Amino acid sequence: MQGKRSSEVSDGETSPFSVNPDLLLQVNNLSIDFTIHGGNITAVRDVSLSIERGETLALVGESGSGKSVTAQAILGILPKIAQISDGNILFADPDQNNRVVDIAQLPRDSKSMRAIRGGSISIIFQEPMTSLSPVHTIGDQISEALFLHRSFSKHDGMSATEHMLEQVGFPHPSRAMRMYPFELSGGLRQRAMIAMAMVCHPALLIADEPTTALDVTMQARILELINQLQLKLNMAVLIITHDLGVVANVADRVVVMYHGEITESGPVDKIFSAPGHPYLKALLHSVPHFDMKPGERLTPVREAEYSLDTMLEDQKPAGTVPEGPHLVVNHLSKSFTIRNTGMFSSGKSSKVKAVDDVSFTIDRGECFGLVGESGCGKTTLSKMLMLAQSPDQGDIVFHCEDEGSIQLETLRDDDLTRFRRKMQLVFQDPFASLNPRMTVLDILREPLIIHDIGDEDYQREWAKSLIRLVGLDPRFLSRYPHSFSGGQRQRIGIARALALKPKLIVCDEPVSALDVSIQAQVLNLLKDLQQELGLTYLFITHNLAVVNYIADRIAVMCKGNLVELATKQQLFDNPIHPYTKSLLAAVPHPDPTKPLNFAALDGASGADSELWPESYSLNQPTDFRDMGDRHFVRVGSTV
Amino acid sequence: MFFYLIRRILTMIPTLLIISVLVFVIIQLPPGDYLESYIAELQSQGESVNEEKIQYLRKEYGLDKSMPEQYFTWVTGMLQGDFGYSFEYELPVREVIGDKMILTVLISIVTIIFTWIIAFPIGIYSATHQYSWGDYGLSFLGFIGLATPNFLLALIMLYLANVYFGTSIGGLMAPEYIDAPWSWAKVKDVLAHLWIPVVVIGTSGTAGMIRRIRANLLDELQKQYVTTARAKGLPPGKLMRKYPLRIAMNFFVADVGNLLPQVISGAEIVAVVMSLPTTGPMLLDALQSQDMYLAGTFLMFLAVLTVVGVLISDLALAALDPRVRLQGDNR
């Protein structure tokens, strides 16, 4: 059937393109099937949307909702097992005098499809780490698209590429041309990716989760950059994201997808002010934001019903949780030696301070939030607390209810093994942290086997209690991790952390790998468990809204230093340190009436301590000074 | 780069020294020495043994000295190009090996090239047409190649070559050229004989190589950067060559170091069956009769090939992959 229809579309009187000359792309009743194991699965069903020149359309939905597949169809890069079973994708190609072509009819690797792909429509992917080839220079990879689609001489093409790099904010474009992706930071790689997509000045840019892998300050800058370039080139942007904060800030119109179908579409203010579809309503309520009232609870799209049973009763705190410190960290430092053993270097080594003289106290029963951007040393800190890495200096004191205080860094062998029961870890990646060759029962029993607790029957019963505790069915115990979704796996990870009845749990970015709709579920579960079982949390994250929702006190970390430590209210109402301020300013609100202030962001220093005011500079002796009410800020000793 | 090269070459010296000690210990491991085996052989044939002659030989060959002394003489000799004396052939080792070494190297190199020429296109085809009939068919052939013992294949090929092409059975050249000086006709004759051992020795390697190329390439084809390149509008052929194939190459370059000694030792049994005038059969003989200097030289030769091969593959890898060239290990 497909072969008979022509990809040429007659531009008759009734064509929407002749009615509206600004119309760039129109998708009509698109359906896409995946052939898997002989059967057909419909990933996208009856999707229609349109984009005008220069506008930004946001495609919103959770993972698996078909939003990326739709984008792949527009670009003609669907995987081999996927076919367009119905509908068309009409595109008025400005490179060919706005002649309208039906992309759905073009063979994927045909010459005319290749001319559109990368030339008139281009794409930015989510992962800047893996979406560039590691063995080709930045200049080579960016200019490649230019030489394919535009006739440039070698020299002109190279200087156009360099100019593009400058436009996307590379500090040294000529040097960057000869650099390899692994020599650049994540933010710069994403900029290179943007330069690659923009170098041919496409009419439509598809941005597939362009900022999900980036820190908030970098995210704000990338969004601003896309915005600027869009205005300059009158380019249309199709942004695919699950982050409603990003949507509220950049989109003109919004299309919401759920299970392969469009549930709702409209202008951005209407979508946020008067959501119609229950899914969108639920989604809006499931995102933590700064304006939540004290005690307000997120409503997950799907709630996890946990249940405590008799085996857990004894873990419930008797009466109130006793006051006092639970974990005290004193002057903890750790540096790493980086050896330059590349082929051309002489083997010089340099020291990097990952954690620099960090001190704080976690009180019993509180949730202590640790916030920082990637590379600030928060993971190194958590590893030292978990005794997976030994500190260079400083000590860690753990206060037990029954055994008094324990000096952690001096524990060895049996003492260390015994201590491990008291403090457990929830990992970031729910996919990598569960052994795919073990059943859930084995996973939950393993800690008990290691610590030789109970016989097999007891362990089995305990595993059942645990799995009910995190809101899963005990029948799931015999399954393997691959049959669970990300949120379910993270709940299994939490159950495993609870298996030894620890009193303190270190949560290292427990929700950052999960969809927003699942985040709320896991956050609520963690919150409930804390209350029910009287737990103390150290909650490490880069997401300020999440930490605002769950934590009682928050420490902000930058370049191995704690720069500010205060209660949640103090920190969000009255941030003092410039780094905290720029972090807070960079968070996009899921509310179109509160857009990011890009101008203010430009002035903000972010993690670049050189730009901080003199009195906060880290190049001098500094104190972590109490500004009143246990609100600590790092300032120069002389100030 | 220059300093790196110097450093690598300098580290080769202790490596080879340690290997030479191991080799010497290994060839000394069997009880007795060549002369004792020789005496035993003479006695079993009922011949009388001339005690004086034995004593003379023992002294002449230095077999009466202590082990460290013998080792020292051997190693210093090798440095001057004197590889010792073969008891069995009653000739200096260098003269015994000479031509055979050249032919061995020739067969090995041609085999490697053959392997790559056959394996690469098939591997790429199999990866890009995964689960197609072509992929299944070629995989099937590959597994047959892997499963067939080399010596059996050698016998079959010899028979077929003789019946259909009239090539003389066994050896690397027709009998009339064996002691003849090198000439154009002799070269042509060697080439006419060469393909059989190359195919036989190369088959299993080729099959293994196809599987590895297919697996590596399939891994790379999944990667995000391939999609990025596709999204740029690159034509499929160029895309394949520039991105996934280039990165899949790393593995093979890294493998060169292992390839040389593997091909040479894998070729030995085949060489016996096909009575090729290469070093393989001679090594077997030398090990059996405790012809220590001959065996030692062979083993050292393999060791040097391995060490040099690893160096070459490291250098090629650095040239190919900037990550190796520019990135230190961040441990």
Side-chain angles (χ1 to χ4, degrees):
Chain A
M1 176 189 92
Q2 283 191 12
K4 285 174 193 158
R5 282 151 62 186
S6 154
S7 66
E8 286 267 354
V9 177
S10 62
D11 201 8
E13 291 282 312
T14 51
S15 157
F17 289 89
S18 50
V19 176
N20 179 2
D22 274 343
L23 191 60
L24 180 70
L25 180 89
Q26 186 163 43
V27 177
N28 294 315
N29 311 101
L30 183 71
S31 294
I32 298 167
D33 285 349
F34 277 72
T35 313
I36 296 169
H37 305 306
N40 270 352
I41 294 165
T42 307
V44 170
R45 184 177 295 125
D46 201 19
V47 161
S48 302
L49 52 89
S50 63
I51 304 171
E52 292 181 5
R53 283 169 222 280
E55 83 165 338
T56 302
L57 179 74
L59 196 53
V60 182
E62 53 191 11
S63 38
S65 62
K67 52 193 191 332
S68 289
V69 176
T70 308
Q72 285 170 355
I74 294 173
L75 212 55
I77 53 169
L78 281 172
K80 271 186 192 147
I81 53 167
Q83 304 89 34
I84 296 175
S85 57
D86 197 15
N88 53 26
I89 303 167
L90 302 178
F91 178 63
D93 192 349
D95 280 0
Q96 297 178 42
N97 292 322
N98 296 328
R99 202 166 55 105
V100 179
V101 275
D102 183 1
I103 291 173
Q105 298 303 322
L106 290 174
R108 279 170 212 167
D109 282 322
S110 65
K111 213 173 165 196
S112 33
M113 187 66 241
R114 290 205 315 264
I116 294 174
R117 191 158 67 208
S120 311
I121 308 179
S122 58
I123 189 164
I124 307 170
F125 292 107
Q126 171 177 357
E127 266 299 332
M129 300 294 164
T130 53
S131 44
L132 293 167
S133 157
V135 298
H136 296 88
T137 58
I138 297 289
D140 178 13
Q141 293 187 59
I142 295 175
S143 62
E144 187 176 34
L146 196 66
F147 291 126
L148 269 173
H149 299 286
R150 307 279 181 260
S151 41
F152 269 99
S153 70
K154 178 93 184 154
H155 178 260
D156 290 351
M158 282 305 176
S159 57
T161 306
E162 212 175 301
H163 182 63
M164 195 68 230
L165 281 177
E166 199 182 326
Q167 273 187 301
V168 297
F170 267 83
H172 306 288
S174 57
R175 216 176 72 200
M177 292 284 286
R178 292 189 310 272
M179 284 171 98
Y180 292 94
F182 59 80
E183 297 176 279
L184 303 173
S185 68
L188 278 181
R189 280 186 223 193
Q190 195 62 317
R191 279 164 195 261
M193 191 73 209
I194 292 174
M196 190 192 292
M198 304 274 217
V199 74
C200 290
H201 296 186
L204 173 64
L205 175 73
I206 300 174
D208 190 353
E209 306 267 9
T211 56
T212 309
L214 303 175
D215 287 325
V216 270
T217 47
M218 189 50 74
Q219 161 169 298
R221 284 182 191 172
I222 295 287
L223 291 178
E224 185 195 7
L225 174 67
I226 294 176
N227 209 347
Q228 279 174 355
L229 292 169
Q230 180 180 15
L231 288 176
K232 208 184 275 179
L233 307 173
N234 191 30
M235 174 180 69
V237 174
L238 173 64
I239 187 164
I240 297 169
T241 182
H242 64 263
D243 186 338
L244 293 170
V246 170
V247 174
N249 271 282
V250 299
D252 299 316
R253 288 189 305 120
V254 182
V255 170
V256 184
M257 280 185 84
Y258 185 64
H259 281 307
E261 288 178 76
I262 290 182
T263 57
E264 195 158 2
S265 64
V268 66
D269 345 330
K270 231 184 110 194
I271 289 282
F272 279 90
S273 61
H277 197 275
Y279 169 70
L280 181 60
K281 280 184 191 162
L283 197 61
L284 282 168
H285 283 117
S286 71
V287 186
H289 52 93
F290 291 157
D291 308 321
M292 296 182 76
K293 292 177 243 353
E296 186 182 339
R297 208 176 143 83
L298 292 174
T299 331
V301 176
R302 287 171 287 272
E303 183 85 66
E305 295 287 340
Y306 71 97
S307 67
L308 285 171
D309 59 20
T310 44
M311 290 191 89
L312 283 148
E313 285 295 324
D314 61 319
Q315 231 201 318
K316 274 189 149 179
T320 52
V321 179
E323 298 273 308
H326 202 163
L327 187 77
V328 181
V329 174
N330 290 317
H331 305 290
L332 210 58
S333 293
K334 175 87 185 171
S335 32
F336 291 105
T337 311
I338 293 181
R339 278 175 58 220
N340 299 321
T341 45
M343 214 166 253
F344 303 103
S345 55
S346 49
K348 271 186 217 148
S349 62
S350 53
K351 275 209 161 184
V352 171
K353 278 204 163 179
V355 173
D356 188 4
D357 194 20
V358 164
S359 308
F360 58 86
T361 302
I362 302 177
D363 289 337
R364 197 174 293 282
E366 79 168 338
C367 177
F368 186 88
L370 183 65
V371 188
E373 299 190 280
S374 47
C376 73
K378 54 190 194 301
T379 298
T380 308
L381 182 60
S382 78
K383 279 184 183 161
M384 284 194 283
L385 297 183
M386 290 307 299
L387 305 170
Q389 250 166 14
S390 52
D392 295 344
Q393 265 162 37
D395 56 332
I396 310 161
V397 185
F398 186 91
H399 293 275
C400 289
E401 279 174 50
D402 36 6
E403 294 171 46
S405 57
I406 307 174
Q407 282 281 340
L408 295 196
E409 77 285 356
T410 56
L411 288 179
R412 293 287 174 271
D413 307 330
D414 286 352
D415 290 338
L416 181 59
T417 312
R418 214 166 43 240
F419 169 74
R420 296 236 183 251
R421 293 188 200 180
K422 300 183 192 301
M423 203 162 135
Q424 287 287 310
L425 185 65
V426 175
F427 296 93
Q428 169 172 8
D429 187 343
F431 294 90
S433 60
L434 301 178
N435 186 340
R437 287 177 184 78
M438 283 165 84
T439 62
V440 175
L441 180 65
D442 293 336
I443 289 170
L444 294 181
R445 272 183 60 200
E446 193 178 32
L448 304 174
I449 295 170
I450 291 170
H451 290 274
D452 198 18
I453 300 171
D455 56 8
E456 206 182 318
D457 289 339
Y458 172 82
Q459 290 170 356
R460 197 178 291 273
E461 284 306 310
W462 184 222
K464 276 185 193 166
S465 294
L466 285 169
I467 198 105
R468 269 190 231 118
L469 183 66
V470 295
L472 295 172
D473 195 313
R475 282 175 306 174
F476 292 173
L477 282 173
S478 55
R479 291 205 199 157
Y480 288 90
H482 70 84
S483 58
F484 295 94
S485 68
Q488 288 174 325
R489 283 178 197 226
Q490 197 58 303
R491 274 143 68 188
I492 295 169
I494 292 169
R496 176 177 58 184
L498 291 170
L500 294 169
K501 304 183 186 175
K503 279 296 165 195
L504 195 151
I505 294 185
V506 177
C507 304
D508 190 355
E509 303 259 16
V511 294
S512 56
L514 304 177
D515 258 22
V516 263
S517 51
I518 307 297
Q519 266 188 22
Q521 186 195 57
V522 172
L523 287 175
N524 278 351
L525 179 69
L526 283 170
K527 230 177 166 170
D528 293 339
L529 291 176
Q530 181 185 20
Q531 206 133 54
E532 293 287 351
L533 306 175
L535 300 172
T536 306
Y537 285 155
L538 170 61
F539 197 97
I540 300 170
T541 183
H542 68 275
N543 189 328
L544 286 160
V546 164
V547 83
N548 177 39
Y549 178 62
I550 199 163
D552 304 309
R553 284 192 306 141
I554 297 166
V556 181
M557 197 166 178
C558 179
K559 298 200 167 160
N561 290 281
L562 289 191
V563 295
E564 191 156 359
L565 169 62
T567 63
K568 178 165 69 183
Q569 283 78 17
Q570 286 167 340
L571 193 83
F572 282 88
D573 297 344
N574 180 28
I576 295 176
H577 198 277
Y579 178 62
T580 315
K581 285 181 180 169
S582 61
L583 271 188
L584 287 172
V587 176
H589 291 255
D591 182 351
T593 58
K594 289 183 196 158
L596 283 176
N597 185 349
F598 286 131
L601 273 173
D602 275 346
S605 44
D608 191 354
S609 59
E610 302 294 319
L611 298 175
W612 295 347
E614 187 83 8
S615 52
Y616 295 102
S617 167
L618 293 177
N619 297 331
Q620 56 186 336
T622 52
D623 293 333
F624 204 36
R625 198 173 295 165
D626 192 345
M627 301 299 199
D629 286 342
R630 289 177 88 193
H631 186 160
F632 294 89
V633 179
R634 183 163 300 278
V635 289
S637 306
T638 52
V639 179
Chain B
M1 188 72 202
F2 180 69
F3 288 104
Y4 173 80
L5 194 64
I6 298 284
R7 209 167 70 218
R8 281 299 302 266
I9 291 174
L10 285 180
T11 51
M12 277 166 67
I13 296 173
T15 314
L16 285 174
L17 267 180
I18 293 169
I19 293 174
S20 72
V21 173
L22 286 176
V23 164
F24 192 76
V25 170
I26 287 169
I27 56 180
Q28 292 279 15
L29 268 184
D33 54 32
Y34 173 73
L35 289 178
E36 276 170 33
S37 323
Y38 178 64
I39 295 166
E41 201 185 319
L42 285 183
Q43 280 170 344
S44 70
Q45 286 167 4
E47 287 179 34
S48 65
V49 179
N50 187 337
E51 262 311 308
E52 255 173 53
K53 188 184 169 196
I54 295 293
Q55 283 307 327
Y56 170 76
L57 285 175
R58 199 172 284 273
K59 197 158 185 171
E60 185 69 22
Y61 296 151
L63 290 178
D64 54 344
K65 291 189 192 139
S66 68
M67 283 264 284
E69 269 180 287
Q70 287 187 41
Y71 169 74
F72 190 74
T73 330
W74 181 57
V75 168
T76 47
M78 272 198 298
L79 286 180
Q80 294 154 8
D82 171 15
F83 295 97
Y85 192 81
S86 164
F87 311 128
E88 185 98 17
Y89 293 85
E90 300 190 339
L91 277 172
V93 168
R94 209 157 73 160
E95 279 174 41
V96 179
I97 296 179
D99 269 7
K100 299 193 173 176
M101 215 53 129
I102 295 170
L103 287 172
T104 308
V105 170
L106 178 73
I107 286 197
S108 305
I109 290 175
V110 175
T111 307
I112 290 174
I113 294 172
F114 167 81
T115 311
W116 285 44
I117 287 177
I118 303 286
F120 262 92
I122 296 180
I124 293 169
Y125 178 87
S126 282
T128 49
H129 297 78
Q130 196 191 4
Y131 303 141
S132 67
W133 281 108
D135 177 27
Y136 286 134
L138 290 166
S139 298
F140 179 70
L141 280 181
F143 280 127
I144 289 185
L146 260 181
T148 316
N150 275 347
F151 67 87
L152 185 68
L153 198 63
L155 290 174
I156 297 171
M157 291 287 284
L158 281 179
Y159 172 77
L160 292 179
N162 187 259
V163 170
Y164 292 103
F165 300 107
T167 316
S168 65
I169 293 177
L172 260 187
M173 54 196 90
E176 63 264 32
Y177 290 112
I178 286 179
D179 284 320
W182 282 95
S183 65
W184 183 234
K186 184 174 171 176
V187 170
K188 274 202 289 193
D189 190 62
V190 168
L191 287 179
H193 282 79
L194 193 63
W195 68 272
I196 302 174
V198 164
V199 169
V200 169
I201 300 166
T203 324
S204 68
T206 310
M209 179 81 75
I210 290 173
R211 301 307 294 171
R212 287 199 300 262
I213 293 174
R214 181 175 178 273
N216 268 286
L217 210 51
L218 279 176
D219 275 356
E220 290 304 323
L221 284 170
Q222 307 289 336
K223 299 258 172 87
Q224 182 73 56
Y225 68 86
V226 179
T227 318
T228 308
R230 262 186 91 197
K232 272 189 241 180
L234 272 180
K238 183 166 183 213
L239 191 157
M240 174 65 82
R241 282 194 302 279
K242 182 164 176 184
Y243 293 100
L245 192 57
R246 160 93 191 259
I247 292 174
M249 282 291 289
N250 274 9
F251 170 79
F252 301 98
V253 172
D255 200 38
V256 171
N258 295 331
L259 214 57
L260 284 174
Q262 227 171 47
V263 167
I264 288 174
S265 49
E268 265 139 37
I269 307 292
V270 177
V272 176
V273 173
M274 303 180 77
S275 55
L276 300 180
T278 57
T279 50
M282 201 179 253
L283 173 59
L284 274 180
D285 253 14
L287 284 172
Q288 273 166 1
S289 63
Q290 296 193 27
D291 192 349
M292 58 181 267
Y293 291 119
L294 189 56
T297 307
F298 276 127
L299 293 177
M300 274 317 284
F301 176 63
L302 283 179
V304 171
L305 272 186
T306 313
V307 174
V308 170
V310 168
L311 177 67
I312 291 173
S313 77
D314 280 0
L315 291 178
L317 201 58
L320 198 64
D321 192 337
R323 285 171 299 183
V324 177
R325 194 162 65 231
L326 302 174
Q327 220 172 11
D329 60 332
N330 294 333
R331 264 172 304 160

